[in-house]
Amino acid sequence: MNLKALYFLVLLPLAITSCDTASSDDENPETQNPALRVQITTNTATPFIDYILEAEITTSNSIKEVEVTDDGGASYTARETSEPEGQGTQVKLYFSYATLGTRKLEFKVTDIYGQVVPFSETITVTRGNAVRILSAEVISFYKKDQTWDPEFADTDVNRLADVGIGLLKSKLNDRFGGTDYTMYRWYISESRQNQSNLFFDLTEENLYIDLNKEIRIGLADDDGGNIAQSLIPDFPDYRIVDLKTYATTRPKVITLKDDSIDLEIKFTVEWPQG
């Protein structure tokens, strides 16, 4: 990433005032706000999947507002203050990405005098230490082959669960909010009607996750109309795969198993090189 030690300068033109020949410079002084200079530094030039990229903006004048637009408007965040003295001359930003590829970051800094410095940078997110999830296969679950839709007769195949799998992982809450995380829906599959074909090919989904993170796995019976029943009947209604526990052995297949609820799911994974 080429964000290190970038300098931007806005020099406002001198104000032009009308005056007659009798007026003096003391009677019509020209005014000029202090020039706004902006510097941005980062903690890495090569961000990778799930890594926290820290960017610090330092300015010569106190900041009124900082705006950030990511990837052609895909996301927008801003922090503004109404305080006359502004929010100081330093602001920290935090970025993290779940997918590979290039991102264009566009910044706009406004100081307390209303002067604006816009600038942009393009970064490329690389794989780093990310594990790739290639597939998931549901071997068994609670009440498999039994009735989940009681409106159908015991001999009707439609009584069986319409199975969908969901994967959750953590992400940053706020670009201005430090390193607080929340869980979000990373991947939700289509449902497999009447528990047919419980193998989910994920190779086209580009699911990468840092090997120091954990994955929450949910399993549900899709009842339609955005209504579902969890196929994990106890609390919490998910199970966890902690990738750190496999970082040394690096198996190609990770098996999630809980005999107490007859749950077994096999994940095929691809580990990073090195």
Side-chain angles (χ1 to χ4, degrees):
M1 181 177 180
N2 298 320
L3 290 179
K4 287 188 179 291
L6 299 177
Y7 294 86
F8 301 87
L9 174 64
V10 168
L11 295 176
L12 296 185
L14 295 177
I16 300 175
T17 59
S18 61
C19 59
D20 58 31
T21 56
S23 63
S24 67
D25 290 340
D26 292 337
E27 293 172 333
N28 296 279
E30 294 177 341
T31 59
Q32 181 179 0
N33 293 325
L36 174 58
R37 297 178 175 85
V38 179
Q39 177 184 355
I40 182 167
T41 57
T42 67
N43 63 338
T44 181
T46 54
F48 47 85
I49 292 287
D50 292 331
Y51 181 81
I52 298 178
L53 171 65
E54 297 181 9
E56 184 174 77
I57 294 176
T58 305
T59 61
S60 56
N61 301 333
S62 187
I63 300 166
K64 178 178 177 59
E65 184 178 28
V66 175
E67 300 173 77
V68 185
T69 304
D70 191 348
D71 213 15
S75 66
Y76 170 87
T77 51
R79 190 172 78 175
E80 182 181 13
T81 181
S82 59
E83 296 295 327
E85 66 273 18
Q87 52 183 301
T89 58
Q90 286 185 328
V91 171
K92 273 196 171 184
L93 291 149
Y94 303 86
F95 301 86
S96 183
Y97 295 96
T99 56
L100 301 171
T102 58
R103 305 285 189 281
K104 185 178 182 182
L105 304 180
E106 298 177 89
F107 301 85
K108 187 162 70 173
V109 177
T110 304
D111 70 6
I112 57 175
Y113 304 108
Q115 300 175 114
V116 178
V117 169
F119 55 98
S120 65
E121 270 297 318
T122 299
I123 64 172
T124 300
V125 182
T126 60
R127 179 169 178 173
N129 292 322
V131 178
R132 186 180 182 186
I133 312 300
L134 299 176
S135 69
E137 184 176 11
V138 180
I139 306 300
S140 62
F141 58 86
Y142 179 68
K143 289 175 57 177
K144 185 175 182 291
D145 299 323
Q146 299 182 42
T147 298
W148 278 93
D149 296 315
E151 65 271 25
F152 297 101
D154 290 345
T155 56
D156 192 330
V157 70
N158 290 299
R159 79 189 191 282
L160 302 175
D162 300 327
V163 180
I165 188 170
L167 307 179
L168 292 85
K169 73 172 182 174
S170 61
K171 70 173 181 177
L172 288 174
N173 280 331
D174 182 1
R175 283 188 179 146
F176 295 97
T179 54
D180 293 330
Y181 289 93
T182 189
M183 301 299 291
Y184 79 105
R185 292 182 178 182
W186 179 33
Y187 170 77
I188 304 294
S189 76
E190 78 285 0
S191 60
R192 299 294 172 81
Q193 191 172 13
N194 303 326
Q195 68 181 42
S196 62
N197 186 20
L198 296 181
F199 178 83
F200 298 84
D201 184 352
L202 306 177
T203 54
E204 299 299 319
E205 303 298 332
N206 293 316
L207 297 177
Y208 293 91
I209 180 170
D210 187 88
L211 58 77
N212 292 307
K213 285 183 174 287
E214 65 180 33
I215 309 170
R216 290 185 184 178
I217 295 97
L219 206 61
D221 168 35
D222 183 2
D223 290 328
N226 294 320
I227 299 174
Q229 304 177 72
S230 176
L231 299 177
I232 298 176
D234 56 3
F235 179 85
D237 61 350
Y238 59 83
R239 291 298 184 265
I240 292 175
V241 170
D242 188 347
L243 292 171
K244 292 191 298 294
T245 62
Y246 302 95
T248 301
T249 57
R250 299 194 172 197
K252 292 182 178 180
V253 177
I254 294 175
T255 301
L256 171 64
K257 193 169 185 178
D258 187 338
D259 291 332
S260 68
I261 57 171
D262 298 323
L263 179 68
E264 183 176 357
I265 306 175
K266 292 186 176 182
F267 294 93
T268 303
V269 300
E270 177 187 273
W271 293 87
Q273 295 182 353

